[in-house]
Each structure stands twice: as structure tokens, then as C-alpha cells.
Amino acid sequence: TANIADILELQQMQRFDLMAITTKILDERKSGTGMIIADVRLVDGSKQGTTTEYASLPLTLFFKDAAELKSF
């Protein structure tokens, strides 16, 4: 089992499953093919070191249209 704080410490590429909450959509844009691209910030409640802030992970998601993004 790994959490975001653990993942941020990884030194090499890894594959993993992650359950987290999207706390913020950082940016939204449209691709040349019409897909909606959203940069989001994920948190899972873990913390790094002695900080009081939750560890967070930026992630880019791709949606086929605006309706799919809205349902997300």
C-alpha cells in the first residue's frame, strides 16, 4: 500500500493504483482533436515529513467532451 506522500519519494518510474480526491482543477484546455484536458491536484490525506499540509500530486486527465469533464 502506498499513499501520495510515499509516491512523492519515489526515485524511479513506478506504476500504481491511487484512490484520491481531486481538490482543485489547476488548468483546463482543449486539444486539437477537441478533447478536454484538465490538470488537477489530488490529495489522499497523507502528509510528508513534519509539514501540516497534505501531500498532493498534480495529474493531467483527458476527457472526450465538456459533459464528461462536468460529470467528473
Side-chain angles (χ1 to χ4, degrees):
T1 302
N3 55 42
I4 290 177
D6 296 334
I7 292 164
L8 293 172
E9 298 292 325
L10 295 174
Q11 299 296 313
Q12 56 188 345
M13 184 182 264
Q14 297 287 318
R15 292 178 188 238
F16 52 86
D17 293 327
L18 178 66
M19 291 184 67
I21 297 171
T22 301
T23 58
K24 186 175 188 180
I25 296 178
L26 304 170
D27 188 31
E28 255 181 73
R29 58 196 179 280
K30 195 177 259 192
S31 74
T33 61
M35 291 183 73
I36 306 294
I37 303 167
D39 297 317
V40 301
R41 183 164 306 286
L42 303 177
V43 298
D44 66 358
S46 61
K47 296 180 180 180
Q48 277 187 293
T50 59
T51 184
T52 58
E53 293 184 27
Y54 290 119
S56 65
L57 185 68
L59 182 72
T60 301
L61 302 175
F62 297 82
F63 301 93
K64 64 182 177 184
D65 55 33
E68 191 175 72
L69 172 62
K70 185 177 180 181
S71 79
F72 169 74

